[in-house]
Amino acid sequence: MPDWRHQAACRDQDRDLFFPAGKTGPYLKQIQRAKAVCQTCPVMQECRAWALDNREMHGIFGGMDETERQKLLRRTRRIAAPRSDRKWVQILRNRLPEYQALVAQGLSVSEIARGMETTVQTVNNVQRALEERALELAS
């Protein structure tokens, strides 16, 4: 099966159109033009899914800018129940006091990861989950 990118409406466009240097003023028109190209694209959904799956942090993909993708990812994370086999979920459930003690010592993320014998990404996921929980409690 051919790569979906070969069918993309943007393939013959100037790449810079899809990577505006800002989000205000003249860049708003550029963003609108890029999204208009996306709306004509036969593989817009595949492009959007790729950008979400790969956490693409820059540019217009699948008719969405990075802020729209971030909002969608946050909303999706809140809706989806975390899988219990993920290391960050296990830390939240079984080792939260240990994690909190390391944080209270003022250690960096990498030092916390070493102290808990896990990865920096896992520690970042724990932090993000705790921040989201705090935001939910505050609202």
Side-chain angles (χ1 to χ4, degrees):
M1 176 161 190
D3 189 328
W4 60 266
R5 288 173 278 212
H6 297 295
Q7 300 171 41
C10 62
R11 73 186 176 284
D12 296 324
Q13 300 285 325
D14 180 1
R15 179 169 153 57
D16 290 341
L17 174 64
F18 299 91
F19 293 93
K23 295 183 180 190
T24 60
Y27 301 111
L28 288 175
K29 287 201 182 287
Q30 180 181 349
I31 292 168
Q32 289 171 344
R33 284 194 319 269
K35 288 181 177 183
V37 172
C38 293
Q39 294 304 315
T40 69
C41 186
V43 292
M44 184 176 77
Q45 296 301 323
E46 291 88 340
C47 179
R48 181 179 295 170
W50 179 89
L52 292 166
D53 289 346
N54 290 283
R55 304 297 196 260
E56 181 60 56
M57 300 308 301
H58 304 287
I60 310 298
F61 288 89
M64 298 178 91
D65 62 35
E66 43 290 314
T67 302
E68 293 166 324
R69 289 192 302 275
Q70 284 298 326
K71 285 180 183 177
L72 181 59
L73 285 170
R74 278 195 299 273
R75 201 168 43 243
T76 303
R77 265 198 308 266
R78 279 195 299 268
I79 293 168
R83 290 182 24 205
S84 62
D85 62 333
R86 295 195 174 158
K87 290 185 183 202
W88 65 270
V89 174
Q90 293 171 1
I91 289 173
L92 285 172
R93 289 186 178 156
N94 305 322
R95 300 174 65 194
L96 189 56
E98 178 185 354
Y99 168 81
Q100 290 170 324
L102 294 170
V103 170
Q105 293 175 32
L107 299 177
S108 70
V109 172
S110 59
E111 291 169 325
I112 294 169
R114 275 194 303 276
M116 297 195 76
E117 297 179 346
T118 191
T119 66
V120 168
Q121 182 62 49
T122 296
V123 172
N124 285 331
N125 288 339
V126 170
Q127 287 178 341
R128 187 173 28 252
L130 291 172
E131 288 167 5
E132 286 177 4
R133 187 181 296 167
L135 287 174
E136 288 173 11
L137 293 175
S139 55

